[in-house]
Amino acid sequence: MRPLKILAPVVGIVIGLLAVACSSSETAAQPAQPAPAQQPEPVAAPAQQPQQPMAPAQPAPARPAAPAEMAPAPAQTVAEPIIPVARMVPASDADTNIFSEDRFGGTLIWVPQGSVGNLDSMTSGSAIGRGVSWHFWESLAQWDAQGFINPDMADSWEVDGGTYTFTLRDDLIWHDGTQVLPEDIGASIDRFRQQDKSFSPILNKIWQGFESVDDKTFKITLSEPSALLMTALGYVGGTQPNIMPMETANKYPTGELIQDFVASGPYEFVSWDPGNEIILDRFEDYVPRREEPSYRAGAKLAYFDRLHMKEIPDQETRIAAVLTGTVDFLDVVSSDFYEEALNNVDQVSVHIGIPGAQPDIAFNTQVPLLGFSDSGKKLRQAIQAAVNAEDIMKGYGDSRLWQLCPSLQMCGTPWAEHTDNEALYNQNDPEKAKQLLAESGYNDEPIIILDPTDFPTIHPIAPVLQGQLSAVGINAQIKATDWAGQLAALRSPESWHIFTNWNSSNLYHPLVATHYRVGETTYTEDSATGQTMTMLRDEFAAAATLEEQFAVTRKMADAAWADPRRITFGQFFQLRIYDRDLQDVDIRGAPVGSPLFLNVWWGDSERRADDPR
Amino acid sequence: MLAYIIRRLLTTIPVLVVVGLFTFFLLRLTPGDPAAVIAGNEATHEEYLEIRERLGLDAPLYVQLGKWAGRIVQGDFGTSIRSGKPVFDLVRGRIGPSVSLTIATELVAVLVAIPLGVLAAWKANSLIDRSVMVFAAVGFSVPIFWLGFIMIWVFGLWAFGLDNPILPVAGYVKIGDDLWEYVRHLILPAFSLGLVVIALIARMTRASVLEVLKEDYVRTARAKGIAEPAILIRHALRNASLPILTVVGLSLAGLLSGAVVTESVFAIPGLGRLAVEAIATRDYPIIQAMIILIGGFYVFINLAVDILYAFLDPRIRY
């Protein structure tokens, strides 16, 4: 009897916990939001001129004894325009006193938007872990706020045909005090080329080899010159081209999550308690670059003694925590709290992260009903015609927190005008939908819409979409699940038809964007559009100028609009709330995407005086 | 007694085996698997299958079970699929906050509920009794998360202004880091979580004491002129303590394993949050280890309660 007496409550607990896994939850007990597929990156607006070449970096100590001058305008290596963007801080506003001793000190406590799953941002595309890792990992090159690739660990590079000769910057050391060597770079890039699914499939075709020349110089040889190399080595979204010690790269082969975080960035890894907190301390021996800070490029100053990331799963508690000063910075707050934040602007700063992310749906083209046959295409076009994007976007709250966007790539970036289609976006045309439906031969088959109810920024889509599709005679049904359940459903193609999701950082470059990909779950290789996309992606890789890339992108977008595999609804913005005393949160010019606390500092000297180490 | 304890400890083995088997198979029946979560929404089917193979999820269930059981026997709970960290380390790191919250809550509950229950029994059917029972009914009905938010609002945001919150609204401080802050951080969650336990124990105390107060020996004690407080505490409460102890024991185990809501609301990195995060990402090794641990808690606390019976009631012998 006793074992049974004991077993009963235990079994109850087991069933209870498992029930959580099988059901939705939007209460205070809601599990930490799963990491979204991608996260937003910098706002973009066309730049007029490519950035001037960079000067060799002037080493400076992490905490120089006296203020130093900024580096002169760059001069040598041509920075490659990738995404001519943006929210660049005007030169006149640039702070020339960034090396000042009186900015150093204190602790910043910030709350991420969800739970950090891992810190191996080369393996995982999760935005939350990636954002944290940006403070300690570095890359050979980095994006600036204008969307140009700038040197970072690399001091410069020269291009001779397909041969790229890199020189590492001076005083580059790992957090364990040893020197960064070309062998480390080679091992890191090898690991990256195996993990990365965006650039590397094309890059690997033209990759010929890596060669160390001396302790600071190495060569990468391609069969032909390609702008993709530097784009890949400095890209900010998806899997990251982090540079790590050779031992680390070799110890954790493809697919294995790195657990050793010896890196070379301005902050060094101290500890990580998964699901709770991460602590990073300033790496005192870090020698920053001297150029003006601009997004991830330029001088990266670790002003805080300590960066303390603290996970708080509940939105109400997060708000209370920032208002009472328990924490200093909230990354991505539910739009429900926008008004409350505005009511407390004497206490906190409110920031809207534009352009945010694009909610969308993807069709399951693996099932014949929605496949690449004529009837499948007609049915997908019927759904495209039935969609009222504005009604769906209203689910994202206050109208100041979202916008309509007729482009496949992020509105606010230069790619937007080359991927838009006013005629096919937000049609809200029931009659056209019904006509296409009839032409498709649709016979009231159920159309299953996956709805991850534990994902507040995806869940608004399904209920509204179901109503719109039902209105034109489609037998739309919602299959409610959690995010993990939705991902699992993907592996059973017969169980669903429409996948709800949102995208952001993968919409900043056509080769990363999911809209034009070719594969078994996207445009299949044997489909007409798949063949077109394959040809155009190769054309893009070979394009010599930005204008040529824009032209090819337009063709890819036209093909994607005509044979819709995804339907986008608009863009929702992300709300951030932080302590008013925090200085220069915007100085790097791209305070969206994962937060970057480089060059951010406390204005109050008392807060700077508190060194927790 | 020693033989009894050993016998009871031995019975935990089949209990934990059954719990383990139950967990293992139910998890595999749950929609989703960790490979799908890792693969994300853009991986090809081939990549997904590679991940399954790497995690050993492609093997027959009995093979997976055998490997898992083999590791458990050796004290190896495996590695978290999501973070790559040893499960043992992750669980160990969460025990401190959960035990602290549990003890603080139980302490609050016992200190408040037992006097209230005794008082209600002593003044049965009076205004005091009815007030205590209304309080208990309300305490049992109020959602924990709602009460948590109200407490955060009152003590954190409202009472003395945003710049001077009386108590911290979120987080946990280790006892070794700062004893005073440790206590301050536990006050709000303990009272928030404790209300329902107070209600439960107060009702049970009232019923048990009321029953005992009708006994002949209580009437005899009163006839002998023994002071009422002594009658209530020494005679009534002690004899009424067995059912109260049972409720306290069960609530202890429940608090330790099930304070998910409170841990989320007050951002306490305890076992409940770990379990929920693991479930959300289908991190099988963590979930399995957690369930075994929770099973162990229940077994241990039941045993402790049974042993305490013998100390409280001399008639009970094992």
Side-chain angles (χ1 to χ4, degrees), chain A residues 259 274-275 317 514 517 520, chain B residues 32 41-42 45 83 94 265 273:
Chain A
Q259 302 295 326
T317 312
T514 49
R517 289 195 181 180
E520 66 186 38
Chain B
N41 57 336
E42 293 184 6
H45 191 61
S83 69
R94 300 302 183 94
V265 168
R273 259 177 67 192

Side-chain angles (χ1 to χ4, degrees), chain A residues 2-3 5-7 9-11 13-15 17-18 20-22 28-29 31-32 37 115-118 197 255 257 259 272-276 310-314 316-317 320-321 323-324 326 344 347 482 484-485 487-488 490-491 499 501 503 506 514 517 520, chain B residues 4 8 15 18-19 22-23 26-27 30-33 36-37 39-48 54 81-85 90 94 145 149 152 156-157 162-163 165 169-170 257 261 264-265 267 269 273 276-277 279-280 282 291 294-295 298-299 302 306:
Chain A
R2 283 204 188 283
K5 177 185 162 191
I6 295 164
L7 200 57
V10 174
V11 168
I13 293 282
V14 172
I15 292 172
L17 287 173
L18 291 170
V20 174
C22 304
S115 185
V116 173
N118 67 75
K197 306 293 181 198
L257 295 172
Q259 302 295 326
W272 175 32
D273 177 12
N276 183 27
K310 211 169 180 52
E311 294 185 12
I312 299 181
D314 188 86
E316 294 270 5
T317 312
L323 290 178
T324 56
T326 307
N344 287 284
Q347 200 82 15
D482 64 354
L487 291 175
L490 283 184
R491 304 301 153 194
F499 183 88
N501 192 20
N503 291 280
N506 56 357
T514 49
R517 289 195 181 180
E520 66 186 38
Chain B
Y4 171 75
R8 283 289 302 274
V15 170
V18 171
V19 168
F22 207 66
T23 309
L26 270 182
L27 265 182
T30 308
D33 69 62
V37 175
N41 57 336
E42 293 184 6
T44 63
H45 191 61
E46 191 180 319
E47 288 164 344
Y48 165 69
R54 181 157 49 80
I81 291 170
R82 183 169 177 238
S83 69
K85 288 189 171 290
L90 292 173
R94 300 302 183 94
F145 74 90
F149 292 140
I152 287 174
L157 302 178
L162 297 177
D163 292 333
V169 297
S257 57
V261 175
S264 295
V265 168
R273 259 177 67 192
V276 170
E277 285 156 11
I279 289 168
R282 306 294 191 269
I291 302 289
I294 290 168
Y298 270 92
V299 169
N302 267 286
D306 285 349

Side-chain angles (χ1 to χ4, degrees), chain B residues 11 85 113 140 157 161 183 253 260 267 299:
Chain B
T11 63
K85 288 189 171 290
F140 211 80
L157 302 178
V183 173
V260 178
V299 169

Side-chain angles (χ1 to χ4, degrees), chain A residues 520-603:
Chain A
E520 66 186 38
T521 57
T522 52
Y523 291 110
T524 54
E525 285 180 8
D526 58 350
S527 67
T529 309
Q531 289 167 1
T532 303
M533 291 296 184
T534 302
M535 182 188 73
L536 291 173
R537 286 170 70 87
D538 286 343
E539 265 184 41
F540 186 100
T545 66
L546 195 58
E547 284 65 32
E548 287 177 27
Q549 291 183 350
F550 283 149
V552 178
T553 303
R554 165 50 71 191
K555 292 179 191 171
M556 291 199 290
D558 287 347
W561 278 107
D563 187 5
R565 207 190 60 75
R566 306 182 79 98
I567 295 176
T568 61
F569 305 119
Q571 286 172 204
F572 66 86
F573 312 136
Q574 289 154 322
L575 191 61
R576 292 182 177 82
I577 301 174
Y578 54 90
D579 191 298
R580 287 188 67 83
D581 188 47
L582 274 178
Q583 307 295 309
D584 293 340
V585 171
D586 283 353
I587 195 170
R588 304 197 72 87
V592 291
S594 301
L596 202 53
F597 300 111
L598 301 170
N599 300 60
V600 180
W601 52 292
W602 285 120

Side-chain angles (χ1 to χ4, degrees), chain B residues 232-290:
Chain B
L232 283 173
I233 295 168
R234 200 184 308 156
H235 296 283
L237 183 58
R238 180 160 184 188
N239 283 298
S241 61
L242 292 193
I244 300 172
L245 186 66
T246 306
V247 172
V248 169
L250 284 175
S251 65
L252 259 179
L255 288 173
L256 203 53
S257 57
V260 178
V261 175
T262 306
E263 287 178 0
S264 295
V265 168
F266 291 98
I268 296 173
L271 291 167
R273 259 177 67 192
L274 181 67
V276 170
E277 285 156 11
I279 289 168
T281 52
R282 306 294 191 269
D283 202 333
Y284 287 170
I286 292 183
I287 302 170
Q288 289 165 173
M290 287 286 303

Side-chain angles (χ1 to χ4, degrees), chain B residues 64-74:
Chain B
Q64 293 182 46
L65 179 63
K67 284 184 178 173
W68 177 62
R71 284 200 303 267
I72 291 285
V73 169
Q74 298 170 57

